[in-house]
Amino acid sequence: MTNERFNKKMIDLTRLIPADHFRTVESFEMRKAKSEVNVEIELKDNFIKKLNFMVPWDGKLYAYARYSEGLLDFCREQNLNENTVKTIYMQDWDDKFTLVIEGKDQKSEISFYVTDEDMKNLLERCCRIPEQKSKNPSTGRG
């Protein structure tokens, strides 16, 4: 029996979430548009060192992604209605990221891999909160 946790398809993150459709926020308490979905990101130290901006001590980032045509098409292909998407999770797995789209009913969940290069590109080019504009040269942390 294969382990579904490790047997996932690699997908193109730039097709789903272009950098101009993505912005970091301090928390999910910040206002968001109806066309945006919550994104929670967990980063490890090795990946954080590659970034050109500061990351909180715990490696967690919060963001909102605006639905792109690519993301809407992808949800349809996966039989997931965008109105039922609760949160997109992106978790650092050292050489790649796992991307999980969680439905509001918490029974519907789909997961894939994205490259760490796509993830770095997204985070470097998106609209970031002021606290993430520069980097502490020694640690990369805030």
Side-chain angles (χ1 to χ4, degrees):
M1 179 183 206
T2 61
N3 187 337
E4 289 297 317
R5 197 172 119 186
F6 299 104
N7 220 5
K8 299 176 190 171
K9 180 180 173 186
M10 186 71 72
I11 59 170
D12 180 6
L13 180 61
T14 59
R15 180 183 148 238
L16 302 184
I17 307 173
D20 65 350
H21 281 59
F22 191 84
R23 64 185 175 109
T24 63
V25 294
E26 291 176 18
S27 73
F28 292 141
E29 300 300 315
M30 295 183 75
R31 288 183 142 182
K32 72 175 179 178
K34 289 181 181 181
S35 61
E36 292 179 315
V37 62
N38 294 355
V39 180
E40 190 173 314
I41 305 163
E42 291 183 29
L43 305 173
K44 293 181 180 178
D45 286 340
N46 285 339
F47 186 82
I48 291 169
K49 290 175 188 173
K50 298 176 188 177
L51 297 173
N52 292 319
F53 63 91
M54 289 192 311
V55 173
W57 66 270
D58 61 0
K60 280 196 173 192
L61 296 177
Y62 300 95
Y64 293 141
R66 193 171 76 238
Y67 284 101
S68 66
E69 282 303 313
L71 183 56
L72 291 170
D73 289 344
F74 183 77
C75 286
R76 285 184 211 111
E77 289 167 12
Q78 302 301 318
N79 295 319
L80 190 66
N81 182 327
E82 71 269 12
N83 295 325
T84 64
V85 173
K86 178 182 176 188
T87 305
I88 298 174
Y89 296 95
M90 300 171 172
Q91 188 175 29
D92 189 341
W93 277 38
D94 298 320
D95 61 339
K96 60 188 167 265
F97 277 74
T98 185
L99 180 140
V100 177
I101 300 176
E102 178 187 50
K104 289 181 181 175
D105 63 6
Q106 295 181 346
K107 292 179 185 172
S108 57
E109 179 181 291
I110 54 174
S111 64
F112 299 90
Y113 288 130
V114 297
T115 67
D116 61 342
E117 184 178 310
D118 280 355
M119 193 68 200
K120 183 178 185 295
N121 186 42
L122 174 67
L123 293 174
E124 293 285 348
R125 296 182 55 229
C126 73
C127 180
R128 294 189 307 268
I129 59 175
E131 294 82 4
Q132 297 167 352
K133 293 294 183 189
S134 62
K135 184 173 189 171
N136 177 335
S138 61
T139 65
R141 305 266 182 191

